[in-house]
Amino acid sequence: MEGALLSVENVSVYYHTPQGETEAVRDLSFQVQKGEFVAVVGPSGCGKTTMLSLIMGLNPPSKGQVSFPQGPCPMGYMLQRDNLLEWRTLEKNAILGLEVQHKLTEESRAKTVGLLKKYGLGDFLSHYPSQLSGGMRQKAALIRTLALDPEMLLLDEPFSALDYQTRLTLANEVFSIIRQEGKTALLVTHDIGEAVSMADRVLVFSDRPATLKREVVLDYPRGMTPLERRGTPAFQDHFAAIWKELER
């Protein structure tokens, strides 16, 4: 790792409603290093998605600051739903972001098609989303994000709409793609097993207002896949520790 890409320092967020002031995030601090895969877990509604909005610059913090120590950091956002357009083929969905940002060239199109072929979607370029499985659709959404060459990927529960077996398989594939493409990733999930199997480090948030309760460093052998990690004693130990933290 080559230093912090993202720094969140003493951030608090307050929402003002007719009923009064609501505190969503309280004095939150953490960093994400270049090349790192960090996961965030916490109770439902604790402010995990609010944190992603802060990082994306969609909402300013009420206190503290979100900064990028190495300068501007292009980010890609992968959501729970793939949001593929049903009337566009897989290839045309994959280049949609390039079109919207006026970055579509023969070179960028060829690079995107190359990614689709590299990661097992080459035979489906002319297929429409309705002809694809849920896992293939979500993988296509990731490649649509990668086509814009982001430095950091923000993953907002990207597997939650899928069945359990597909989630396990896709988590393995997405992990591999992120590693091979050399990206930094921040994953928000309510699934402890997902976090513990994919990340280098897990941040455990408290109930609202979100604070950082604990940071768990995952010590797996380098090169081990998420599915392989799930079969280790370390996975069980980390899972139990985070579960106990969330129960408090």
Side-chain angles (χ1 to χ4, degrees), residues 102-117:
H102 306 292
K103 295 179 179 178
L104 182 61
T105 63
E106 285 305 312
E107 183 181 359
S108 64
R109 179 192 291 271
K111 180 181 176 182
T112 304
V113 171
L115 286 171
L116 292 169
K117 291 179 178 178

Side-chain angles (χ1 to χ4, degrees), residues 42-80:
S44 180
C46 75
K48 300 186 293 293
T49 299
T50 297
M51 176 201 67
L52 292 183
S53 296
L54 292 171
I55 294 169
M56 289 287 288
L58 301 177
N59 296 309
S62 304
K63 293 181 181 178
Q65 68 173 1
V66 177
S67 63
F68 302 93
Q70 298 189 32
C73 178
M75 285 180 285
Y77 203 172
M78 189 174 173
L79 301 166
Q80 296 177 26

Side-chain angles (χ1 to χ4, degrees), residues 117-168:
K117 291 179 178 178
K118 181 178 180 180
Y119 297 114
L121 295 174
D123 292 337
F124 304 93
L125 299 181
S126 300
H127 285 57
Y128 290 89
S130 62
Q131 299 172 293
L132 306 174
S133 69
M136 292 167 70
R137 290 176 63 124
Q138 200 67 341
K139 190 157 63 167
L142 173 60
I143 291 170
R144 179 184 59 198
T145 302
L146 290 174
L148 293 166
D149 199 24
E151 181 77 19
M152 179 184 291
L153 292 169
L154 304 179
L155 311 175
D156 189 2
E157 303 207 31
F159 315 120
S160 61
L162 305 170
D163 65 82
Y164 185 68
Q165 184 176 351
T166 303
R167 288 176 69 161
L168 291 180

Side-chain angles (χ1 to χ4, degrees), residues 35-37 174-182 198 200 229:
E36 193 176 25
F37 197 128
V174 167
F175 175 88
S176 175
I177 291 169
I178 289 172
R179 285 289 195 239
Q180 288 186 48
E181 298 301 317
M198 295 185 75
D200 301 310
R229 290 178 176 188

